[in-house]
Structure formats: C-alpha cells, structure tokens
Amino acid sequence: SAVISQKPSRDICQRGTSLTIQCQVDSQVTMMFWYRQQPGQSLTLIATANQGSEATYESGFVIDKFPISRPNLTFSTLTVSNMSPEDSSIYLCSARTGGYGYTFGSGTRLTVV
Amino acid sequence: KNQVEQSPQSLIILEGKNCTLQCNYTVSPFSNLRWYKQDTGRGPVSLTIMTFSENTKSNGRYTATLDADTKQSSLHITASQLSDSASYICVVSYFNQAGTALIFGKGTTLSVSS
C-alpha cells in the first residue's frame, strides 16, 4: 500500500501566524484529503484536494482559513492561516489508494500559543 | 444523520487477555466498514475492511465482525500485547454524489498493562 510522509510532525506557533503542512505520497493518487482531529473527538474532514481543480471544503471550513494546494498527483499542502489557540489540533492528510483503501499520514500536532 | 458510535470510550486490560470493542452506526447508503488502529502521535493504520456481504474478517489477532442488518460491528483482539495499546477507530464509508465519504467514530482507547 502507499506510504504518506507528512511534515512537520509537530509545531508550536504564535497566534496570528500561519503554518503550512506538507504531505508526500510515494505513488500517484487522484484524491487526497485533509482532516482535523481535536482531543477526544473523531476525525473531521476539512477538504478534499484533487489535482488540477479547486479543493472542496466541508461545512464550517473555508479556503481563506485553510488554503490547500495540490500541484501534482503525489503532493499536497494545507496551510492553517492566522492561527488562534482554537486551531490547536492534530492535522492529518489521507489518500485514497485504490479499491477501498485509504492511507493516512502520521499527523501534525499543532499547538498555538 | 450519519453517525458512528463506539463503545467503550476506554478500556484497560491485562496483557494476554482478550477484549471486544463495539461500533454502532446509522450511515446510509452503506458502502463498507473499516477498523483502524491509531498509535499515539501517529496516523491511523487500517486493520480490516468489510463490505455489506462480509460477516467477519481477520487480520492476525484482530477479528472484525459486521451485522449489516443491525448496523453493528465489533473488533475482537485475542491474546493482547502491550503494543496493542492504542486508539481503535471505526470508520463507515457511504455513497454520496462525490463517490464515497467516510464517517469516523471517536475511537476506543485501549490500554494493555503487564
């Protein structure tokens, strides 16, 4: 199955700044996804990133706050903009890797102070 | 509303013992059900995937069952090991306009002690 490298693994950021998270897949994938996992909560889909088109955002998430890039079939970035302490969370990328398979990155633990 | 409920929320067992985790869902139209293991600080890793017609699937010491009529699934862990300590997440996939989408449970946190 595919392997996804996600970085950074963790970061502590000042409020008002932005952080860009990167995910690299070791094979070409059509669909990539970005999730947020808050403490004690289930994973929540932020957006679906398809190569060559605008990302599709879920209710409650907007492009200005979470801009996404998908320049090719193996790479995607998520930026958390103008951060506040409420953005402290684990952010995960995922890719649909054929059949019913979904592979996840190792996550980015973000703390905003 | 599409929902996935897991129980118990947390569980502590002794090494070598068996345990069963539960997942109830109200998701339709149903595509498949997955169990993932998520170690602390890591991303979820797939354990099993079951479609509508599958009742049971095993992966080593992990055995998942699915009752599509009652919309219940369980994950049974046999002869637990310390490395089984993790969060176990039940994920149900359903069909939508984009193809399929995933609904995640909150997970069961399992602690295996020696």
Side-chain angles (χ1 to χ4, degrees):
Chain A
S1 61
V3 175
I4 300 179
S5 300
Q6 183 173 344
K7 60 181 180 181
S9 58
R10 60 178 62 228
D11 207 341
I12 300 173
C13 301
Q14 296 290 326
R15 67 179 67 200
T17 63
S18 298
L19 175 71
T20 295
I21 303 168
Q22 300 179 2
C23 275
Q24 178 76 52
V25 190
D26 67 350
S27 59
Q28 292 186 338
V29 292
T30 303
M31 300 179 74
M32 293 187 71
F33 309 88
W34 288 96
Y35 291 90
R36 182 172 71 185
Q37 186 177 27
Q38 295 179 308
Q41 300 298 313
S42 57
L43 275 72
T44 301
L45 180 65
I46 297 172
T48 301
N50 295 323
Q51 195 269 334
S53 63
E54 291 283 334
T56 302
Y57 289 82
E58 298 299 305
S59 176
F61 298 97
V62 295
I63 187 171
D64 289 345
K65 177 66 176 178
F66 299 101
I68 288 171
S69 77
R70 184 81 201 278
N72 56 53
L73 291 173
T74 64
F75 188 78
S76 181
T77 68
L78 169 77
T79 299
V80 186
S81 304
N82 188 24
M83 288 184 285
S84 66
E86 292 71 36
D87 294 321
S88 297
S89 187
I90 297 173
Y91 292 85
L92 290 148
C93 65
S94 174
R96 186 155 186 182
T97 52
Y100 295 121
Y102 287 85
T103 301
F104 288 84
S106 55
T108 297
R109 183 180 294 273
L110 171 62
T111 302
V112 184
V113 297
Chain B
K1 180 181 178 181
N2 288 329
Q3 284 186 318
V4 176
E5 301 287 341
Q6 291 187 245
S7 61
Q9 183 177 4
S10 62
L11 182 63
I12 302 173
I13 62 173
L14 290 175
E15 186 179 14
K17 297 296 185 182
N18 303 334
C19 67
T20 300
L21 315 180
Q22 300 290 341
C23 174
N24 297 335
Y25 61 93
T26 56
V27 178
S28 70
F30 177 87
S31 174
N32 57 74
L33 185 146
R34 314 147 185 268
W35 284 94
Y36 282 87
K37 177 186 180 187
Q38 185 175 20
D39 293 308
T40 300
R42 309 292 296 177
V45 174
S46 180
L47 295 175
T48 63
I49 301 174
M50 288 181 292
T51 59
F52 183 88
S53 59
E54 295 176 294
N55 301 120
T56 185
K57 183 163 283 188
S58 293
N59 178 0
R61 295 180 296 101
Y62 302 102
T63 299
T65 65
L66 173 64
D67 186 333
D69 292 331
T70 61
K71 298 186 177 181
Q72 296 179 326
S73 176
S74 66
L75 180 69
H76 186 76
I77 303 175
T78 304
S80 61
Q81 300 175 358
L82 297 178
S83 59
D84 291 332
S85 296
S87 178
Y88 292 84
I89 304 172
C90 176
V91 184
V92 179
S93 175
Y94 68 99
F95 295 105
N96 63 6
Q97 290 182 333
T100 57
L102 303 180
I103 301 291
F104 291 79
K106 293 184 179 181
T108 293
T109 300
L110 175 65
S111 298
V112 181
S113 60
S114 57

